[in-house]
Amino acid sequence: MIEVNDNFRLLPVSYLFSEVGRRVADFKAAHPDREVIRMDIGDVTRPLFPCVIKALHEAADELACPESFHGYGPEQGYSFLRDAIARYDYAENGIHIEANDIFVSDGAKSDLGNLGDILSRKCKVAVMNPAYPVYVDDNVIDGRAGELIENHWSNLVYLECDPENNFLPSLPDEKVDVIYLCFPNNPTGVAIKKEQLKLWVDYALANGSLIIYDSAYESFVRDTDTVKSIYEIPGAEKVAIEVRSYSKTAGFTGLRCGYTVVPHTLKGLYANGAEVELNTLWNRRQTTKFNGASYVAQKGAAALYTEEGRASIRENSDYYLKNAAIILKTFKEIGFKAFGGENSPYVWVSAGDGSDSWSLFNRFLQDFGFSTTPGSGFGSKGEGYVRLTGFNSRENTVKAMERLKEAYKG
Ligand code: MLT
C-alpha cells in the first residue's frame, strides 16, 4: 500500500466545525421536536444582494452563447475584478496596491491553507491562541507544527490572548518567521488599532518575518482608528500577505470568492540565498494548482463595487453587527463575561464559573436550543469560552437571547 502523509495522523480526528455540525445533527436527530438556532459556524443567512443576483444571471446568459462564452479564465482572476479591488478596496482608502498584486480565489480558507506551499518547511510559525483552527491544522499537514504535547504543538509559537491583554497578544520574545494575525479576530471578535498593529509590522520588518493577515471580517469595522487592511501601516507591503473574502462581507459562503494580496515588494530567500518575490512564487503555485475562481462568481463579486453593491455591504454588515450587539448585551446582562461583538460579528463568552467549553456548548444546546462553537477548538486559551455569531436572522437571534434571559431573570 502507498505510504501516506503521516502528518494527518497527528491531526485531531475531525475539523472543529465538522465536529460541531455532527454534534448539532445528533442532537436534532434525538430531539426532532426541538428547534435549534445555529450560532456556531460563521455561515451567513441573508441572501445575495439583488445587484449580485443580476450579475450572476447576466454572466450565466453570457456563458449560454458562443460569442460571449468564457472557458478557462486567468488563474489570477479577471482584470475587471482585480482592477475594482485595487481601486475600491485599496486606492480609495489611500493604499497603493497594484492589480497584479491581487490574486482572486475561491475564498480565504483555501488560500490560507495553500500559502504553506510557498514557505519553507523549516519556518518557525507563530499563531494567536485562540485562533481560527485552519492556521494550525494547515501547518500540521505541512509538517511545520511538530508534535502535540499537552495541547500545544511543539514547533509552534503561541501568542497568548486573554482578557488581561484584551486578547491582543504581546510580540514573541524569540524570532519567528511566519505570524498569522486575524483582525477583527476570529474567534474573540476583538479588533486592532493602527498603533497596535504597527508594533507587529515593525517586528516583522526588524526580523525578516512574514505576516499572513486574515482580514476576512474587515467589512465589520466601524471605528475609524481601527484597522481594515494591514497595508494601512507603513512598511506592511514589505512584510505582509493579506487574505480577504466576500463570504461574510456579501454572503458568498456558498458562491465562493475571495482574494489574496501578495505585493511585489514582498521578498523571500531560496535556500541558496537568492532573493525572490513571493508574488512570483504564489503566481507559479496558483497557475500550477488552480484554474481561477469561476467567471460567474467573479462577475457577482465585481457587482459589489458598484454604488448599489457598496451600500448593500454596509447595510448587510450593519444588520449582523446589530445581532452581535444583542448577543453581547444579553450575555453581559445575565452576568457572563462577553467580549468582541463590536467591529465584529463574533461574540466570545465565558460563564466565569469554571465551566469548560464543551459543557457550555451542551448547556446552550440542550437547555436553550442554540448552538455555539466551543472555544477550546480554537486553542488551549479558548478553554472555558464559546463563540457565538451574529450571522443568524434578527428574529432567531432575539429568540435565542430571550430564552436565555427568561432562564436567568431574577
Ligand atoms: C468560522 O465560523 O470560523 C468560519 O465561518 C469558518 C470558515 O470561514 O471556514
Side-chain angles (χ1 to χ4, degrees), residues 31-81:
H31 306 88
D33 50 321
R34 295 277 306 273
E35 178 205 32
V36 176
I37 297 173
R38 298 290 300 255
M39 299 171 96
D40 53 277
I41 192 167
D43 196 4
V44 293
T45 50
R46 301 184 90 203
L48 293 168
F49 311 150
C51 63
V52 173
I53 294 294
K54 182 165 173 285
L56 298 182
H57 281 297
E58 285 168 5
D61 287 343
E62 281 183 63
L63 298 184
C65 304
E67 300 75 35
S68 51
F69 173 75
H70 290 271
Y72 288 127
E75 295 92 339
Q76 305 81 357
Y78 284 96
S79 56
F80 62 76
L81 182 54

Side-chain angles (χ1 to χ4, degrees), residues 293-315:
S294 85
Y295 177 71
V296 175
Q298 292 191 62
K299 275 296 200 184
L304 298 171
Y305 295 99
T306 59
E307 210 173 305
E308 187 187 337
R310 299 168 85 198
S312 300
I313 288 176
R314 180 81 188 193
E315 189 274 327

Side-chain angles (χ1 to χ4, degrees), residues 128-132 159 161 167 185-188 348 375 378-382:
M128 294 170 71
N129 182 14
Y132 180 39
L159 308 169
C161 305
F167 301 98
N185 185 257
N186 180 10
T188 64
W348 188 237
F378 297 97
S380 59
K381 279 283 193 176

